[in-house]
Amino acid sequence: MKYKSQKVAYWFFALSLLLLVLQIVYGFIMGFARAGFDPLHEFIPFNTARAVHTNLLIVWLLSGFMGAAYYIIPEEAQRELVSVKLAYVQLVSLALVGVVAVIGFHFNIWEGRKFLEIPRQLDYLVVVNVLLFLYLILATLIKGKRRTTTSLVLTMGLIFTALLYLPGMIPFDSQVLDSFFRWWVVHLWVEGVWELIMGGILSFLLIKLTGVDREVIEKWLYVIVGLTFLSGVLGTGHHYYYIGVNKIWLIVGGIFSALEPLAFLAMALFAVNMYRKGEKKHPNKLALYWTLGAAIVSFVGAGLLGFAHTLPQTNLYTHGTLVTAMHAHLAFWGAYAMIIFAMISYALPNMTGRKLYDGARGRMAFWVSNIGMIGMTVAFGVAGVAQVYLERILPEKGLEMSFMQIQNEIQVHFVVLILCATMFTVGIIAFVVDFIKHGQPTDEALEK
Ligand code: HEM
Ligand code: HEM
Ligand SMILES: [Fe+2]
């Protein structure tokens, strides 16, 4: 059963892809600057490009999650959204906040807090926007005929995402306190409540695509939620090692963050097992690729590469280097970008009535973007290990190189990064072309 109001999702997905393309442009500006070619330096210095790159990422992922919720909740609750008009108001205001913030960054209107650079005045607009979104989702759920575990886990993830934004808005004079609470947003989002959002979307897609019973699929969801909370909450300690708080965090953070990969492993096993069990009859193989891909790549990017630098003994050396960027790219891509791509691939043919999932372009988009991103991860990793060695291990041996000299030494790895990023971008463009070729959503397609 489909619902006409689900078409709101289309426009959130479109905004998502638009901002992703813009994010990639700023990625290239940084990649070239790191390789020694920085013609835009006067207008867009590295720090500005970095803030734009990461904040656009957050906005497009949030837009993707919102789109996913607007698609999933009516179907799970078995009723139309309570107001389509308000959903469009919410879309436009989200886009507006994003655009204003990004323009501001170019005029140095931003806060120097990685990932939370949006000025606090603008944060209030974000709060209003998110409240409107939550109202629409919750009202639909409450008035609906059915409340499923899948929709509850997804909604819980969204509510906690909103609540956890608030600690990041408190002003502090102390750098330590500011840092302490910044992680409540950044860490508890990606290694906590966003995993619930991912789990919810994954569960919805697996129910639709594999044909396995809802009861079986939703049982797994409980396990994933349990593992996430068990490890992720105290796992925040892996950001508290050397920031000026109690030393107990070295032990707590080390132990609990080392357990975090289990939740991602459970998601990967979950998806693969349900696929094996399923009837394999659903024609939309592309959506299945992205769904299984998200579960597997997130385990590698978040679980394995996160574990690689999470113990205090390692993190002492790797903190804030390109090793972090290596992990950040594959984790964000695998877990959150790919699950949104899975959702788009599943929902788009249903909303537009055009079934382009048999074409070669879609499969090419999947493989080329993934291989490109894995190449980028390797390039960041090699650059990161070299950087750690030159910046932090040589001095221990009594050998010092200047900071800028070291950055020159690792320039060559960014040439590799640019090549792999180009491949990645070809895949993304193919995905966007498919998106455009599907055309816009129609009431007829959604009435079927
Ligand atoms: C063509 C594509 C891209 C290129 C060339 C690129 C390049 C870069 C560069 C050069 C940095 C800064 C590293 C440094 O501090 O020196 C960066 C940061 C970052 N990028 Fe990308 N990027 C691309 C796409 C993406 C995508 C698709 C994502 C997410 C799915 C992403 C997520 C991030 C994140 C999270 C950071 C911050 C990492 C940290 O905090 O250490 N990037 N990117
Ligand atoms: C999808 C899930 C994940 C995403 C999107 C993600 C992304 C990121 C990003 C963007 C950063 C840089 C943050 C900043 O400096 O502001 C980071 C740092 C870090 N992540 Fe993850 N991560 C994920 C899961 C994990 C997991 C499961 C682990 C551990 C097993 C982990 C371990 C770490 C560590 C230790 C750091 C600190 C690096 C440093 O000190 O510079 N991450 N992660
Ligand atoms: Fe973390």
Side-chain angles (χ1 to χ4, degrees):
M1 192 52 192
K2 286 179 271 182
Y3 297 84
K4 275 194 232 167
S5 53
Q6 284 177 297
K7 67 166 167 283
V8 173
Y10 176 90
W11 299 101
F12 280 83
F13 294 147
L15 176 66
S16 236
L17 291 180
L18 185 73
L19 298 182
L20 162 62
V21 170
L22 211 56
Q23 186 211 348
I24 290 176
V25 172
Y26 284 81
F28 274 110
I29 294 175
M30 280 192 290
F32 276 108
R34 279 288 213 161
F37 184 70
D38 197 8
L40 295 174
H41 186 81
E42 290 299 312
F43 317 100
I44 309 176
F46 189 85
N47 57 343
T48 303
R50 206 178 198 288
V52 174
H53 185 66
T54 48
N55 283 270
L56 278 174
L57 168 66
I58 303 297
V59 179
W60 85 252
L61 292 180
L62 287 177
S63 176
F65 291 158
M66 288 168 175
Y70 282 130
Y71 189 88
I72 293 174
I73 295 298
E75 215 163 296
E76 291 286 298
Q78 296 182 336
R79 65 155 287 149
E80 299 282 359
L81 279 178
V82 288
S83 167
V84 171
K85 249 193 220 134
L86 283 176
Y88 285 124
V89 170
Q90 194 251 317
L91 169 77
V92 173
S93 66
L94 177 72
L96 215 66
V97 174
V99 169
V100 170
V102 162
I103 292 176
F105 291 173
H106 291 81
F107 296 96
N108 281 330
I109 307 174
W110 50 298
E111 300 191 11
R113 303 189 309 150
K114 194 158 93 172
F115 287 102
L116 302 183
E117 281 98 344
I118 296 186
R120 309 221 186 180
Q121 295 88 317
L122 214 55
D123 279 344
Y124 291 103
L125 250 157
V126 176
V127 170
V128 175
N129 181 272
V130 171
L131 282 177
L132 179 55
F133 166 72
L134 286 180
Y135 159 72
L136 292 170
I137 293 300
L138 284 172
T140 306
L141 202 59
I142 289 164
K143 291 187 183 166
K145 291 200 193 75
R146 199 171 64 152
R147 256 151 264 161
T148 62
T149 305
T150 300
S151 60
L152 290 181
V153 170
L154 175 63
T155 311
M156 279 217 331
L158 295 164
I159 293 174
F160 282 133
T161 298
L163 287 178
L164 282 168
Y165 195 69
L166 304 177
M169 290 174 63
I170 311 168
F172 292 108
D173 290 330
S174 150
Q175 170 80 51
V176 174
L177 280 177
D178 188 79
S179 187
F180 191 88
F181 286 104
R182 188 182 76 92
W183 290 113
W184 285 32
V185 191
V186 178
H187 170 97
L188 289 176
W189 269 14
V190 302
E191 288 154 76
V193 297
W194 284 20
E195 284 177 63
L196 306 190
I197 298 176
M198 180 181 173
I201 299 175
L202 200 58
S203 157
F204 175 81
L205 288 171
L206 288 172
I207 290 170
K208 300 288 169 185
L209 294 169
T210 66
V212 174
D213 282 349
R214 178 183 287 274
E215 289 70 42
V216 178
I217 289 190
E218 290 183 338
K219 257 190 211 119
W220 274 87
L221 204 47
Y222 284 112
V223 176
I224 289 163
V225 173
L227 285 172
T228 298
F229 279 121
L230 176 79
S231 61
V233 176
L234 288 175
T236 318
H238 67 179
H239 302 290
Y240 294 164
Y241 295 153
Y242 309 105
I243 68 166
V245 295
N246 197 299
K247 289 234 168 346
I248 189 81
W249 287 110
L250 288 169
I251 297 167
V252 175
I255 292 173
F256 285 91
S257 71
L259 296 174
E260 284 180 33
L262 291 179
F264 288 95
L265 179 63
M267 269 196 269
L269 293 177
F270 171 40
V272 172
N273 274 332
M274 293 308 110
Y275 167 69
R276 288 228 181 112
K277 253 176 106 97
E279 295 158 355
K280 304 183 178 64
K281 276 204 302 240
H282 199 286
N284 192 343
K285 293 284 178 280
L286 215 51
L288 192 66
Y289 271 42
W290 285 106
T291 306
L292 291 177
I296 293 167
V297 179
S298 65
F299 172 60
V300 179
L304 295 182
L305 295 183
F307 184 78
H309 58 158
T310 203
L311 297 179
Q313 296 88 332
T314 334
N315 194 260
L316 177 64
Y317 289 94
T318 57
H319 171 69
T321 62
L322 291 161
V323 170
T324 307
M326 158 196 79
H327 151 68
H329 278 85
L330 201 66
F332 261 124
W333 169 252
Y336 303 126
M338 284 182 78
I339 200 71
I340 290 171
F341 276 37
M343 195 61 219
I344 295 177
S345 302
Y346 173 75
L348 205 55
N350 294 347
M351 292 190 289
T352 62
R354 295 199 66 189
K355 301 184 170 17
L356 299 185
Y357 42 65
D358 281 334
R361 199 189 305 113
R363 273 198 301 276
M364 186 276 259
F366 175 84
W367 289 109
V368 171
S369 61
N370 270 290
I371 295 170
M373 181 50 87
I374 290 168
M376 287 170 62
T377 307
V378 173
F380 272 125
V382 174
V385 171
Q387 180 192 13
V388 168
Y389 193 83
L390 296 173
E391 277 179 16
R392 298 174 186 183
I393 296 185
L394 277 190
E396 288 186 349
K397 298 181 188 298
L399 299 163
E400 296 255 2
M401 270 171 89
S402 80
F403 183 81
M404 289 315 285
Q405 218 180 343
I406 293 169
Q407 308 315 310
N408 284 342
E409 286 296 323
I410 58 174
Q411 268 184 4
V412 59
H413 303 299
F414 286 92
V415 177
V416 181
L417 177 83
I418 290 167
L419 290 174
C420 297
T422 306
M423 187 171 171
F424 170 77
T425 307
V426 169
I428 298 298
I429 291 171
F431 191 89
V432 172
V433 169
D434 250 11
F435 185 90
I436 295 168
K437 292 239 159 146
H438 269 92
Q440 292 181 11
T442 62
D443 285 348
E444 299 82 73
L446 284 165
E447 267 160 5
K448 260 192 244 149

